Amino acid sequence: MTSGDALDVGDEVPDVAAPLVHPDDSVEETPLSELYVDRPVLVVFYTNDFSPDCVSEWCSFRDYGWFTSTEDVRVVGSSKSRVPTHRRFIDYLDIDFPLYADTDLDVSDAFGVTYRALKLLPRAKRSVFLVDTDGVVQYRWIGEHPLDPTRDQPPLGEIREAVEEHVGGEPETFGFS
């Protein structure tokens, strides 16, 4: 699959559901449309909990200090990792937003970012989408590393600018400094 197959800015996001693991350890099957009903949602796809590249990615999000859900925007991660692994990953990295346990890659498929590593292992490309309250993509970034698209790191500054532009300026509580 190429990024040309993925949802683009202006595309409507299909409504899919998967188990959503919250930082308080609760889990519930949650349609994506529930997440953007009252504010935009930033959907962050990554390969797998505890893989070195993903730990590095999530540490950079956390350390940058602004990947958090607020009144202005909701953040949700998504990978094919299972619920128990997500719980450990959230605790290990002290993540304060939920993660989709997209074990069947339904969420990844809906965004068009599923691919096969080494033509064998299905997973999501590292990617980020900002979805508005109408379910329309307002921003997208998709890893395009020539050997393995999960190795690219999202451009944090560019994502920040897209969120700020969409919510009408710098959100006070989004953690930006």
Side-chain angles (χ1 to χ4, degrees), residues 142-177:
I142 300 171
E144 293 293 342
H145 190 280
L147 296 176
D148 183 356
T150 65
R151 290 186 176 181
D152 286 336
Q153 293 292 320
L156 299 178
E158 181 180 300
I159 296 166
R160 173 183 173 166
E161 287 174 16
V163 170
E164 287 175 346
E165 182 179 309
H166 184 71
V167 299
E170 186 173 325
E172 288 181 34
T173 57
F174 196 53
F176 299 134
S177 53

Side-chain angles (χ1 to χ4, degrees), residues 6 14-15 18-19 21 23 44 52-53 77 106 109 120 128 131 136 152-155 175:
D15 195 18
V21 182
V44 181
D53 289 343
D106 292 339
D109 287 345
L120 298 172
V128 178
V131 180
V136 176
D152 286 336
Q153 293 292 320

Side-chain angles (χ1 to χ4, degrees), residues 16-93:
V16 294
L20 193 61
V21 182
H22 296 270
D24 67 2
D25 284 340
S26 65
V27 179
E28 81 182 88
E29 186 81 11
T30 306
L32 183 62
S33 60
E34 269 186 32
L35 300 180
Y36 61 73
V37 71
D38 61 347
R39 59 188 152 172
V41 63
L42 196 63
V43 183
V44 181
F45 290 95
Y46 64 105
T47 316
N48 211 352
D49 294 341
F50 296 105
S51 70
D53 289 343
C54 292
V55 169
S56 174
E57 175 185 20
W58 288 108
C59 285
S60 69
F61 291 161
R62 181 196 63 211
D63 296 346
Y64 194 60
W66 59 270
F67 262 72
T68 188
S69 293
T70 68
E71 293 176 9
D72 297 311
V73 67
R74 184 182 319 270
V75 177
V76 63
S78 182
S79 82
K80 69 179 288 171
S81 296
R82 299 178 187 280
V83 169
T85 310
H86 273 343
R87 284 181 169 144
R88 289 191 305 275
F89 194 62
I90 287 169
D91 289 344
Y92 179 71
L93 293 179

Side-chain angles (χ1 to χ4, degrees), residues 77-156:
S78 182
S79 82
K80 69 179 288 171
S81 296
R82 299 178 187 280
V83 169
T85 310
H86 273 343
R87 284 181 169 144
R88 289 191 305 275
F89 194 62
I90 287 169
D91 289 344
Y92 179 71
L93 293 179
D94 196 26
I95 297 171
D96 65 354
F97 51 84
L99 303 175
Y100 269 121
D102 190 21
T103 56
D104 296 329
L105 295 172
D106 292 339
V107 180
S108 177
D109 287 345
F111 281 81
V113 294
T114 303
Y115 84 107
R116 290 188 174 276
L118 307 172
K119 299 187 181 195
L120 298 172
L121 308 167
R123 57 173 80 180
K125 283 185 178 183
R126 185 164 285 137
S127 49
V128 178
F129 293 84
L130 178 62
V131 180
D132 69 15
T133 55
D134 294 322
V136 176
V137 175
Q138 295 299 315
Y139 169 85
R140 83 166 191 175
W141 173 85
I142 300 171
E144 293 293 342
H145 190 280
L147 296 176
D148 183 356
T150 65
R151 290 186 176 181
D152 286 336
Q153 293 292 320
L156 299 178

